[in-house]
Amino acid sequence: MDLPNPEVLPAGHCCPSLGTRALEAGIMRFSVPPSISRHSAMANEPRGNGGPNPRLEGSGGGMESSKDSSRCSSPGLDPERHERLREKMRRRMESGDKWFSLEFFPPRTAQAAVNLISRFDQMGAGGPLFIDVTWHPAGDPGSDKETSSMTIASTAVNYCGLETMLHMTCCRQSQEQITGHLHKARRLGLKNILALRGDPVGEQWEEEEGCFRYARDLVKLIRSEFGDYFDICVAGYPKGHPDAESLEDDLKHLKEKVDAGADFIITQLFFEADTFFHFLKACSRMGISCPILPGIFPIQGYHSLRQLVKLSKLEVPQKIRDVIEPIKDNDDAICNYGIDHAVSLCQELLASGLVPGLHFYTLNRRMATTEVLKRLGMWAEDPRRPLPWAVSAHPKRREEDVRPIFWASRPKSYIYRTQDWDEFPNGRWGHSSSPAFGELKDYYLFYLTSKAPREELLRMWGEELTSEESVFEVFVHYLSGEPNQSGCPVTCLPWNDEPLAAETSLMKEELLRVNRQGILTINSQPNINGKPSSDPVVGWGPSGGYVFQKAYLEFFTSRDTVGALLQVLKKYEQRVNYHIVDVKGENITNAPELQPNAVTWGIFPGREIIQPTVVDPVSFMFWKDEAFALWVEKWGKLYAEGSPSRMIIQDIHDNYFLVNLVDNEFPLDNCLWQVVEDTFELLHRPGTRGDRLRDPVP
């Protein structure tokens, strides 16, 4: 559906004061076309869940599909986004590159789920080839609960961008139930399954009618029902499964699982390298030739070790027990020993040349596993990003390489609001007549909520607000990193739950200056003209390229400041694009025909130009609903209803404007700071038009 030409409304159509000032400044004022209203986009979207509907310029009367018009032939920036897990493994093995993977288990509480997703982000930065999430039958693992195995694994794929493997057991479940779980896993973007029998409910295994008895039956079901869609892993037991008659008998079952369609094996934990080497030789004699990953457990505490050994029915070697028993009440000492032992074990395994990668049982903890990997030189935290924003690992998003800049600090929210799209922009954003952004009604979804508890947010943002200026100070402390009056560092804002981006340091002083005066910035980027893609601050994409950016500034500010800003923008009409909107949707923009504006792009050897970030006026109208709502949902609701603090936040929500500015002259010095300085100068100039701009607006 083509976007109708925006109507030029007479001054004063919705807001007489701003309309008059815009006209005086020589600015065109547009209404929002009906096709981009939130409700019509959701109810009348002709393409169902199709997402942006790019229009091919010069296409005349015929219409090409959005897939044809929005796709580019340029190869992807990150080839691993297009590979299956087993292909990634094969490529690493052929090149000799070692890898590691991490295992987690579902949490028991909603707050623990929030913490675990944060842990995914932290440990994902080290470069695991994949993570896996265990299956807990007692925790309703296939449900939509935020603590279920299915939900946690889906979140890791979709919102954390991690290649993820879901454990699945087959005991005490019918074939119909298991098939239902597998269909759901595929729908959620999961592509890898660790097929297990599962543990018995009592002490002894009891076969149930209509249920599978062995993991090989689950492997066969996956292959018969889903063909080659899933990559399948199975478990190996270096000393034999506890229920097996012998190691040789257990290896026969393992061979059956591989023959049924398993792609690779992860072993149960062990404590000595020779245990694994003997297992490898035994597997080879049995004709098992797929990759076998050793399971590594860094000992982190006496009680956790005892519990894990009890569940796995393993024996701890006497020499390890002799070390641990005297220090069993000293968790730090045991953890340090566990790290040393794991490093030594891994070094011996890697030196053998028989181990392609290492699989770590983390117990949902970060420190021990991270320290082991750092000592091994395998923790590959690279400041370079494949794209300027956090990618999703969902298969249907593997071609996605363009997004609006507005969600730069809230990528999980953007993924949530676009999860029902059938396809995603690739190569160019296109001229979107009606992007079907889903509404964000629940700001407390565990993967969108703040990691900080309410009490900490109050300490950061103010137990009690006394004026708008006290809100300004919160923004200033977030930018400066200095503790507030309560001695508490401000480490997040409602629009950004993470520390400041590295590139913010390039504009820190300017940002501090404008925030102190009521330009409350929530998104910004400096202008960049041909920095190497390997630059640790602004670089992204493959090596050997160059990246570019237009200066961008997005902020909330008062109606009076907007009035002065419109006057100043008259001088910058050919250079600065802007969009100004209030909570009701009244907006002013000089974006030509509501076209998107590329603000980040890169040039790489042997590729077409990649432009991953745009300022899209249509998407901005969807973002503004979320941006304004965060004032109340995340900040205002910290305070009692009717309290002065709550009323201050509500007043900002009701009366401030959201503004974005783009300086198109990226080779020149950023002019946006001068625009803001000129605005303040006009606003505070006595006896001038700026004086009248401070008068109340009807």
Side-chain angles (χ1 to χ4, degrees):
M1 178 168 60
D2 288 345
L3 182 66
N5 290 326
E7 180 184 1
V8 181
L9 300 179
H13 177 74
C14 293
C15 177
S17 55
L18 284 181
T20 302
R21 293 169 198 165
L23 192 62
E24 291 174 355
I27 299 167
M28 299 176 70
R29 184 172 180 282
F30 303 127
S31 68
V32 183
S35 62
I36 68 169
S37 70
R38 179 177 66 250
H39 300 293
S40 64
M42 293 302 295
N44 301 322
E45 172 60 39
R47 302 171 59 245
N49 296 326
N53 185 12
R55 180 181 65 188
L56 195 65
E57 295 178 10
S59 59
M63 289 193 64
E64 296 190 44
S65 71
S66 58
K67 181 177 181 180
D68 292 334
S69 61
S70 66
R71 300 294 177 187
C72 73
S73 59
S74 176
L77 293 179
D78 182 3
E80 287 203 351
R81 290 180 71 191
H82 301 264
E83 292 178 333
R84 332 174 42 122
L85 178 54
R86 67 192 186 206
E87 291 169 349
K88 295 177 184 180
M89 287 184 178
R90 185 184 305 116
R91 188 158 57 84
R92 298 287 185 96
M93 293 170 68
E94 290 173 351
S95 66
D97 292 337
K98 305 301 182 183
W99 75 80
F100 69 91
S101 52
L102 306 170
E103 179 170 297
F104 301 90
F105 59 83
R108 294 183 178 181
T109 67
Q111 183 56 50
V114 174
N115 296 338
L116 182 58
I117 299 311
S118 175
R119 187 66 41 82
F120 287 169
D121 289 335
Q122 294 167 355
M123 299 190 75
L129 188 66
F130 66 93
I131 71 164
D132 67 312
V133 178
T134 62
W135 185 266
H136 284 195
D140 200 3
S143 73
D144 293 329
K145 293 178 181 177
E146 55 199 2
T147 55
S148 76
S149 302
M150 188 77 73
T151 299
I152 294 297
S154 169
T155 302
V157 166
N158 288 287
Y159 298 98
C160 302
L162 297 172
E163 183 81 56
T164 303
M165 180 166 65
L166 175 65
H167 290 216
M168 193 171 290
T169 63
C170 58
C171 66
R172 300 181 64 83
Q173 294 184 93
S174 68
Q175 180 172 327
E176 184 180 1
Q177 288 175 311
I178 295 171
T179 303
H181 291 322
L182 290 165
H183 277 291
K184 183 174 183 178
R186 182 172 65 176
R187 186 172 67 253
L188 293 174
L190 293 161
K191 303 173 293 181
N192 312 298
I193 300 293
L194 175 51
L196 301 163
R197 183 194 72 174
D199 297 320
V201 175
E203 291 295 323
Q204 298 296 324
W205 175 261
E206 294 182 5
E207 188 174 353
E208 296 187 43
E209 185 177 354
C211 295
F212 290 150
R213 184 176 182 183
Y214 297 115
R216 69 163 181 257
D217 300 322
L218 177 54
V219 176
K220 289 179 180 178
L221 173 67
I222 296 172
R223 287 293 179 234
S224 65
E225 293 289 331
F226 297 89
D228 205 36
Y229 176 80
F230 290 105
D231 283 4
I232 303 175
C233 177
V234 292
Y237 300 85
K239 292 200 170 184
H241 192 281
D243 295 340
E245 295 179 2
S246 64
L247 175 59
E248 184 177 0
D249 181 63
D250 187 48
L251 287 172
K252 290 179 181 178
H253 289 298
L254 180 59
K255 179 70 160 58
E256 290 172 351
K257 290 188 286 187
V258 174
D259 290 344
D263 296 294
F264 63 101
I265 298 167
I266 293 177
T267 76
Q268 176 63 277
L269 66 93
F270 55 90
F271 298 98
E272 297 174 312
D274 283 343
T275 301
F276 182 76
F277 296 146
H278 290 317
F279 178 68
L280 280 184
K281 291 178 181 178
C283 286
S284 179
R285 289 195 299 268
M286 190 61 66
I288 297 172
S289 59
C290 66
I292 302 176
L293 308 184
I296 309 298
F297 172 62
I299 300 170
Q300 302 181 53
Y302 184 75
H303 296 292
S304 63
L305 175 62
R306 288 189 61 184
Q307 181 67 14
L308 198 62
V309 166
K310 179 182 177 181
L311 291 173
S312 58
K313 299 180 182 179
L314 288 174
E315 287 188 10
V316 179
Q318 186 61 44
K319 64 180 181 181
I320 294 178
R321 295 172 62 180
D322 290 343
V323 174
I324 287 180
E325 285 295 334
I327 58 173
K328 64 182 180 180
D329 295 324
N330 187 333
D331 286 344
D332 289 341
I334 288 184
C335 187
N336 288 334
Y337 168 76
I339 291 172
D340 290 340
H341 173 265
V343 169
S344 177
L345 174 63
C346 292
Q347 287 173 336
E348 189 173 353
L349 291 170
L350 294 170
S352 71
L354 302 173
V355 175
L358 304 170
H359 185 73
F360 286 85
Y361 298 105
T362 69
L363 299 185
N364 288 9
R365 300 174 186 171
R366 178 174 63 90
M367 191 278 289
T369 300
T370 301
E371 182 62 26
V372 171
L373 288 165
K374 287 181 177 179
R375 291 195 194 180
L376 293 172
M378 297 179 70
W379 185 261
E381 194 161 338
D382 190 341
R384 282 187 301 147
R385 306 154 290 173
L387 288 163
W389 32 262
V391 301
S392 169
H394 194 292
K396 72 178 182 178
R397 302 186 85 115
R398 63 165 55 104
E399 299 289 345
E400 179 184 27
D401 64 5
V402 189
R403 287 184 189 172
I405 196 173
F406 317 121
W407 284 271
S409 298
R410 287 178 59 81
K412 292 181 175 65
S413 173
Y414 179 82
I415 292 168
Y416 175 81
R417 297 187 67 176
T418 58
Q419 63 183 320
D420 292 329
W421 289 7
D422 292 326
E423 57 185 26
F424 295 87
N426 171 258
R428 60 189 291 267
W429 179 256
H431 192 166
S432 307
S433 62
S434 185
F437 287 97
E439 289 191 79
L440 184 58
K441 296 179 179 179
D442 190 349
Y443 287 80
Y444 301 95
L445 292 166
F446 75 95
Y447 42 83
L448 299 181
T449 193
S450 175
K451 296 187 290 290
R454 178 178 181 275
E455 296 74 19
E456 186 176 347
L457 293 176
L458 282 170
R459 288 195 297 270
M460 287 192 288
W461 301 345
E463 300 277 356
E464 181 179 357
L465 302 175
T466 57
S467 64
E468 290 183 356
E469 284 71 22
S470 57
V471 174
F472 300 175
E473 285 301 308
V474 175
F475 282 77
V476 169
H477 285 292
Y478 175 62
L479 289 163
S480 69
E482 298 175 358
N484 60 19
Q485 292 182 345
S486 301
C488 180
V490 179
T491 58
C492 66
L493 290 175
W495 305 269
N496 192 343
D497 203 43
E498 303 294 337
L500 291 169
E503 68 180 10
T504 304
S505 63
L506 304 177
M507 310 172 287
K508 184 175 180 178
E509 293 306 315
E510 292 87 350
L511 288 167
L512 285 169
R513 185 167 61 251
V514 301
N515 276 270
R516 289 190 180 101
Q517 300 181 76
I519 297 286
L520 305 179
T521 57
I522 61 171
N523 196 353
S524 61
Q525 70 176 29
N527 59 310
I528 300 296
N529 186 19
K531 284 277 189 180
S533 60
S534 57
D535 186 274
V537 176
V538 299
W540 56 271
S543 300
Y546 293 89
V547 297
F548 302 79
Q549 292 180 177
K550 295 178 183 178
Y552 177 77
L553 195 62
E554 184 181 335
F555 54 89
F556 290 99
T557 196
S558 68
R559 179 175 293 266
D560 293 338
T561 304
V562 166
L565 176 63
L566 287 169
Q567 295 295 314
V568 170
L569 285 170
K570 181 179 180 181
K571 298 187 300 182
Y572 297 89
E573 182 68 21
Q574 300 302 316
R575 178 167 176 175
V576 176
N577 282 119
Y578 53 84
H579 201 160
I580 304 169
V581 63
D582 69 0
V583 71
K584 302 179 186 68
E586 179 199 346
N587 72 113
I588 301 170
T589 180
N590 69 342
E593 298 184 359
L594 299 184
Q595 287 278 359
N597 185 354
V599 292
T600 307
W601 62 99
I603 300 174
F604 305 96
R607 304 175 189 268
E608 296 179 0
I609 294 175
I610 307 296
Q611 54 173 52
T613 310
V614 300
V615 170
D616 175 41
V618 179
S619 301
F620 187 61
M621 297 303 292
F622 289 90
W623 162 246
K624 69 92 180 169
D625 293 335
E626 182 175 337
F628 275 104
L630 288 167
W631 279 107
V632 176
E633 296 292 339
K634 295 291 191 180
W635 198 337
K637 289 185 177 180
L638 294 175
Y639 309 107
E641 192 169 354
S643 65
S645 297
R646 179 81 166 259
M647 292 173 67
I648 289 170
I649 296 298
Q650 188 68 51
D651 186 67
I652 291 175
H653 168 274
D654 294 345
N655 296 298
Y656 271 40
F657 281 75
L658 180 63
V659 179
N660 75 59
L661 304 175
V662 179
D663 180 4
N664 291 298
E665 293 286 356
F666 65 92
L668 306 180
D669 289 341
N670 181 357
C671 77
L672 300 184
W673 307 118
Q674 191 59 52
V675 169
V676 174
E677 289 300 321
D678 291 351
T679 298
F680 287 136
E681 193 277 331
L682 176 60
L683 189 62
H684 300 122
R685 188 187 304 163
T688 67
R689 172 67 174 164
D691 229 17
R692 288 194 286 135
L693 292 176
R694 294 197 300 272
D695 294 339
V697 175

